[in-house]
Amino acid sequence: MPGFRGGSQVKIRIARIELRHLKMPLKFRFETSFGTMTEKSFLLAQVFSDDGDWGLGECVAEEHPYYLPETNGTVAHIIREFLAPLILGHVFEEPTETDGLLSRIRGHEMAKAALEMAIWDLFARTRGEPLFKTLGGAAKETIPAGVSIGLQNDVPALLKRVAVEVAAGYQRIKIKIKPGADLDLARAVRKEFPSIPLMVDANSAYTLKDAEILERFDEFNLMMIEQPLAWNDIVEHSKLQPLLKTPICLDESITSNAAAESAISVGACGIINIKAGRVGGLLSSKRIQATCAAHRIPVWCGGMLESGIGRLANVHLQTLPGFTLPGDTSASARYFDEDLIEPGVGVDARGQIRVPDQPGLGHEIIWSRVERATIHRDAWSA
Ligand code: OSB
Ligand code: MG
């Protein structure tokens, strides 16, 4: 059945799904408590309608299961065996139908999100509107940009990195920490930059036994401390939070709206980092944002060193109400010599990112660059 347009009502039948594996060199080495990245290796889903319209969804899984359990390998398996068969041939009236279609598959949020986000982009392009509008975001000109700085070789190198990003205009600086490279880093940055909005991210490197160290971050006037304890332990965070003045922000622990509800109800955090790719997609992100708003929990949009495709989706997401804090969405040029979009995502001297007003993700996809970065490709038809 061909898609037809009538008013804003569009029916879209999914005819084909393509899944590519891309590799892109990173301009810098990104070190966190769980490992070091020197290239971006990721899956890119493209969904096609009967009419030949298409949409793109960038997956946030990595080669390894060191951030969360999913990997590029598990995502490809789950999409091929379980998700693609449910989406192919389905006639969508709303992008939110993905939720019901895929709910039988437990977990695998990153795999689901890649397809879900591609379907949102397909709807936006088919309707001829920017993604933020399809999502129900506000028509904002700009969103505020923050930056995430990896572990450096020494404190002087870190201070230099922070100085560069502050000079570039970023409105909030996040530094990565790990046991043995924590209080000294925060102290040094705070001393040199007494008033910048500053936070730290531990990526689950501590346990409750380290509470004394974590309490001492209170002296640095941080906006928040991100995911200090285990990726899957909300209860432990609820025991830590009352010991700290600094709000805990959860990242890894929040993989669904249900997890956000649990975390808030036991007092495990004061702030939540939303990554659409980590929580199963944009609808789930919207739900988490609404849950947080109802409990006056601020949210912000995290990042996974995405290419321009995932980066643009993050920009659109941040037009939703409740995204009041600067996120980790930084300029394309920080990460890649050559991004997959033109223009790249840019950050102005006041630390603002322009929200695209063109259909879908809103910047041109440079397919020759996508092709060059593609190391493997699969496709399935209805
Ligand atoms: O914990 O937020 C994180 C990158 C990869 C995996 C996890 C995280 C990050 C970042 C980088 O902090 C954010 C970005 O610049 O995209
Ligand atoms: Mg994090």
Side-chain angles (χ1 to χ4, degrees), residues 119-145:
I119 287 166
W120 279 99
D121 183 38
L122 168 62
F123 263 82
R125 287 176 198 270
T126 305
R127 291 178 182 166
E129 62 193 23
L131 178 60
F132 78 81
K133 186 161 181 230
T134 314
L135 264 178
K140 293 181 178 177
E141 290 223 328
T142 60
I143 52 135

Side-chain angles (χ1 to χ4, degrees), residues 174 176 201 203 226 251-252 273 275:
K174 159 166 139 185
K176 294 288 186 178
D201 185 359
N203 286 111
E226 186 173 341
D251 173 354
E252 282 89 331
N273 162 337
K275 294 175 182 168

Side-chain angles (χ1 to χ4, degrees), residues 42-73:
F42 65 101
L43 299 174
L44 180 65
Q46 188 174 17
V47 295
F48 296 82
S49 71
D50 276 337
D51 291 351
D53 291 325
W54 50 266
L56 287 170
E58 177 168 336
C59 183
V60 301
E62 302 177 50
E63 290 284 294
H64 55 71
Y66 304 155
Y67 165 75
L68 280 174
E70 292 181 86
T71 69
N72 291 334

